[in-house]
Amino acid sequence: FEMDAAGVKAAAESELSRNSVDSPKTPAMMVSMTPLIPADLLKQLLRSMKEPIIPYSVYDRCLAIGRKGDSAAEAAALMGELRPANRATLYTVISFLAELSKAHDVTQMGVDNLALVLAPNLLKNPSDDPLLFAANSGDERGFVGQLIHAQLEGLLTMETS
């Protein structure tokens, strides 16, 4: 995990100033703090990292787990192999997503939709080939979905192994 607290603070200040009430670019819906701002900040933070939270070294294994479906225990075990900072960050994000998925009747954001939105930010294809990018996106979503299910099933801990 390469971004320090100063980087997070700078990203937050940049986003807030970009969406400032005083800005002529601010749409009326953004005048008040909405859930869209912290969600966008999270995605910006994850995208700005040199290496994703789920490192390139385990990318192919993640795809294999995502392809299987119903493999929450395998996803949890793989998460346990990550460096402590990556594991703690991923645990926090996945825990939040699992909690958010419980309100799917209100938010329309169940496990599949949350995985769709966050997978490209947690897990990045190391290739520049757009065909591979498109071909692997479903398995990436599947893996992130399995992590969310693992949390919902009580299989994840900060020390998951």
Side-chain angles (χ1 to χ4, degrees), residues 109-121:
M109 294 299 287
V111 171
D112 292 336
N113 284 343
L114 292 167
L116 173 71
V117 172
L118 268 292
N121 300 293

Side-chain angles (χ1 to χ4, degrees), residues 124-147:
K124 296 178 187 167
N125 190 330
S127 170
D128 290 332
D129 183 348
L131 294 176
L132 275 178
F133 179 78
N136 293 344
S137 65
D139 295 335
E140 291 173 1
R141 268 193 326 269
F143 178 74
V144 172
Q146 290 306 309
L147 284 175

Side-chain angles (χ1 to χ4, degrees), residues 59-126:
Y59 180 80
D60 289 331
R61 290 173 52 205
C62 293
L63 291 183
I65 292 169
R67 195 172 300 118
K68 285 181 187 177
D70 198 26
S71 50
E74 283 182 74
L78 188 141
M79 186 176 136
E81 298 174 24
L82 302 180
R83 290 179 295 180
N86 292 56
R87 186 173 53 245
T89 304
L90 185 59
Y91 176 80
T92 302
V93 171
I94 294 298
S95 295
F96 171 72
L97 295 176
E99 193 61 34
L100 187 58
S101 75
K102 293 176 184 176
H104 64 86
D105 54 329
V106 174
T107 65
Q108 303 302 308
M109 294 299 287
V111 171
D112 292 336
N113 284 343
L114 292 167
L116 173 71
V117 172
L118 268 292
N121 300 293
L122 296 173
L123 182 63
K124 296 178 187 167
N125 190 330

Side-chain angles (χ1 to χ4, degrees), residues 12 15-16 18-19 30 33-47 93 96-97 100 109 114 117-118 121:
E15 180 65 12
L16 289 173
R18 196 167 57 105
N19 291 306
M30 296 298 287
M33 182 70 153
T34 72
L36 300 175
I37 293 174
D40 190 46
L41 281 172
L42 174 62
K43 290 192 317 184
Q44 283 184 44
L45 169 68
L46 294 171
R47 281 189 212 129
V93 171
F96 171 72
L97 295 176
L100 187 58
M109 294 299 287
L114 292 167
V117 172
L118 268 292
N121 300 293

